[in-house]
Amino acid sequence: MELSEKKNLINLKVLVKNRETVPATILILMVIIFSFLSGGRYLSIFNIIAVSQQASLEGIVAAGMTLILISGEIDISVGSNYALTPVVVALLVKEVGLTIWLAAMIGMGVALLIGFINGYVVTKLKISSFIVTLAMMMFLRGYALILTHARDVGFLPPSVFYQILGGRIHTKFPVMVIWFILTILFLWILLEKTPFGNRIFATGCNQEGARKVGINTDKVKIKIFMIVSACAGFSGIISLSYLSQASPVQGNLLPLYAIAAVVIGGTSFSGGSGTVIGTLVGAFIAQGAINGVVLMGATSYWPQIFMGAMVILATILTTWMDKLRFRID
Amino acid sequence: MLKLKNYLNWVLKIREIVALITLFTIIFICLVLIGPIFLSINNIANILSVVSPIAITATAMTLLMISGEIDLSVGSVMAITPTITSLLALKGYNIFFSALIGIGIAFFIGLINGILVTKFKIKSFIATFGMMVIVENIAHLLTGGWYIYGLPPSCTFFKIFGGEIFGHFPVMAIWLLVIAICLWLLLDKTAFGNETLATGGNKEGAIKVGINTDRVKIINFMLTAFTASFAGIIMLSYIGGIPSGIFGRNLAFDSIAAVVVGGTSLSGGSGTIIGTVIGAFIVGALRNATLITSISSYWAMAIVGLIILIAVILNTLLELRRN
């Protein structure tokens, strides 16, 4: 085989092997198509800001969710967590009179506790994560509604805290995008560059095998559940900072959007492999697609139909790419 | 002492023991908090009207979960069948024909679910999650957000499926009985039931023995969609129209809760119809309790979540003990 042909083969291999190729391509194609169809409105500053904000809030949760999926579990309680944590924080500030800084720390503690309980029940009591997080989701949602008597909590005393988390630079650029990127970076380093990350992949790939090699898979999973809960709580506090109020009914569809971002980003549902960078791209694709469909004049139902179809198609594509990758090796 | 221990062992061997104890506990708590009116004839009829759609869907869901899969789209199927049925009926088509079309669409959705899971190898959670979103929004699109009314409430069709006899006793409870018995026979007394149990218990082993696990799962998905659509027809007949908005949104969680509390393991391989029916009564009783006491609707979610958790923990412990 000639040298030039060999080079082509290698390049194609790299493209397919890289999990982020597919979502990156989809993103670029999507932006081009929607810009064309919306006559340029799609790439207006206003629109980009709107999409980035939504993508960031959901993307932070999706980043944590990536780890959960890699380890072979699922967490559908993130939406209720996203509502309850800011509710707790807001109530602590408003009713108990704590400063926002202290209240936020306590709120994160609550989120971590929720994650710990999820992880503990799944690993030690050996109950499916779907059922556990389903029950937790209902329980937390009910609790948030009880605490607030189903009303939003707002009118909090001003503080620079809210600017740091949910404000804007130069009145345009939303700071939460920076927090999103930082989260992705942090989790990327955790996943790819630390032994803990290795343990996560091993646990997801083959739990029995991982145990035999001495990995405490229970500990790994508990930590991952705490991470995704922390992400949900963090995102909730950011939304509190941005909206200046905490709503007990927010985050209803958050599990769907988070999972969509992860799946579209190229992480497969069967566990053992995944990419947070892909999730970053996936979050923007998910929100960008909905935004694009709405801009084209579709009424409120079509975007969600689009979303559901996208999730299914993305899963099929990812599974197919997995098979291809397997065959190439 | 020994006799007591033997008796206890025998009691614990009943698969549905957790569900039964939970049911009696719930009824007791409701009686204490709400008073004897909870078990009045009127309220029992109300409870039955809440329990029936849940139970009807949950019984087929039991088979599906025994074979190792799950279906989150049942709520939207329960919404779209009566939507299509009433739209066609309002256009002048015969109502039985319209219902047939509506149920046919549900069969089709179940088929798609089955194919996505078996041929495209998508996890059932994701596939049915996606279908749920798609179908639910199509249903919204068809009604344009309005609720549907204007169908003659006294026509025979509505009486058969949603009527009341002996005063307030809802006919749908009889339909529940019929479907539960049919599915129990299917699970317990037919080869297909065995295949379902085998597919969920040990898929590889089942394939080796020659069972077409794909076919088993697809049939179970279609059965689940059918029961969900049947529940939708029943609700349409009972209410006489379609309430706008969140019709059916709770059904998926309620029926899964019923199956799980009733003793079916989520990983598949074992479960009983009776347990599921008891589980459905638990969930229905709780929903009814929250309806008639307006304060506790927020507590309801919290309590239902807690109860599911406790029941599943107990069931898992018993399962481990049994092996």
Side-chain angles (χ1 to χ4, degrees), chain A residues 74 76 125 127-128 130-131 134-135 137-139 142 146 150 256 259 269-270 301-302 304-305 308-309 311 315-316, chain B residues 70 116 120 122-123 125-127 130 133-134 137-138 140-141 253 260 266 298-299 301-302 304-305 312-313 316:
Chain A
I74 195 159
I76 51 179
L125 295 177
I127 302 180
S128 138
F130 177 69
I131 290 289
L134 172 69
M137 172 187 90
M138 300 177 84
F139 178 72
I146 292 173
L256 170 66
I259 292 178
F269 232 95
S270 38
Y301 303 123
W302 283 107
Q304 286 204 15
I305 295 182
V311 171
T315 315
I316 296 180
Chain B
I70 201 166
L116 284 175
F120 285 96
I122 307 179
K123 284 271 163 71
F125 173 80
I126 267 276
V133 172
I134 294 176
N137 283 285
I138 292 182
H140 280 313
L141 266 178
F253 291 143
V260 157
L266 194 65
Y298 310 138
W299 287 97
M301 294 214 82
V304 173
V312 171
I313 293 177
T316 313

Side-chain angles (χ1 to χ4, degrees), chain A residues 34 50 94-95 108 177 188 190 214 229 254 292 296 305 321 328:
Chain A
F34 276 128
K94 213 171 169 195
E95 310 284 333
M108 287 302 288
V177 177
W188 179 78
L190 190 75
S229 281
L254 189 63
M296 281 180 10
I305 295 182
M321 292 286 293
I328 288 186

Side-chain angles (χ1 to χ4, degrees), chain A residues 254-268:
Chain A
L254 189 63
L256 170 66
Y257 287 135
I259 292 178
V262 177
V263 162
I264 293 173
T267 299
S268 102

Side-chain angles (χ1 to χ4, degrees), chain B residues 5 23 101 111 193 201 227 241:
Chain B
K5 193 159 187 273
L23 182 65
I101 302 277
L111 182 64
T227 50

Side-chain angles (χ1 to χ4, degrees), chain A residues 89-103:
Chain A
V89 171
L91 286 176
L92 282 174
V93 170
K94 213 171 169 195
E95 310 284 333
V96 180
L98 300 178
T99 75
I100 180 71
W101 301 89
L102 186 58

Side-chain angles (χ1 to χ4, degrees), chain A residues 57-231:
Chain A
L57 285 174
E58 284 155 14
I60 291 176
V61 182
M65 188 74 89
T66 315
L67 269 69
I68 289 269
L69 255 63
I70 293 178
S71 75
E73 303 290 348
I74 195 159
D75 186 348
I76 51 179
S77 68
V78 286
S80 307
N81 195 335
Y82 177 76
L84 183 66
T85 302
V87 155
V88 166
V89 171
L91 286 176
L92 282 174
V93 170
K94 213 171 169 195
E95 310 284 333
V96 180
L98 300 178
T99 75
I100 180 71
W101 301 89
L102 186 58
M105 286 207 310
I106 297 180
M108 287 302 288
V110 168
L112 283 168
L113 179 65
I114 293 172
F116 178 75
I117 296 178
N118 279 336
Y120 186 82
V121 178
V122 169
T123 55
K124 300 298 183 191
L125 295 177
K126 306 226 188 309
I127 302 180
S128 138
S129 56
F130 177 69
I131 290 289
V132 172
T133 56
L134 172 69
M136 181 64 86
M137 172 187 90
M138 300 177 84
F139 178 72
L140 293 179
R141 182 68 66 183
Y143 193 55
L145 288 166
I146 292 173
L147 281 179
T148 62
H149 301 289
R151 284 193 291 256
D152 294 350
V153 183
F155 298 116
L156 303 170
S159 159
V160 70
F161 179 88
Y162 304 120
Q163 292 307 308
I164 296 180
L165 282 192
R168 296 211 182 166
I169 306 182
H170 294 315
T171 72
K172 285 247 166 64
F173 187 77
V175 176
M176 59 175 84
V177 177
I178 297 183
W179 289 114
F180 177 33
I181 296 180
L182 283 176
T183 309
I184 292 276
L185 216 61
F186 175 67
L187 288 177
W188 179 78
I189 295 177
L190 190 75
L191 208 54
E192 305 283 346
K193 304 289 177 200
T194 67
F196 180 57
N198 267 340
R199 291 200 285 268
I200 297 179
F201 281 116
T203 306
C205 214
N206 181 352
Q207 188 162 321
E208 283 313 310
R211 266 206 212 123
K212 288 206 179 106
V213 206
I215 298 179
N216 187 341
T217 55
D218 286 354
K219 244 194 187 174
V220 169
K221 287 194 174 180
I222 292 181
K223 285 194 189 150
I224 295 181
F225 273 103
M226 289 173 77
I227 290 177
V228 74
S229 281
C231 287

Side-chain angles (χ1 to χ4, degrees), chain A residues 226-249:
Chain A
M226 289 173 77
I227 290 177
V228 74
S229 281
C231 287
F234 183 47
S235 190
I237 296 178
I238 292 182
S239 96
L240 168 67
S241 307
Y242 174 65
L243 297 171
S244 303
Q245 68 182 28
S247 167
V249 296

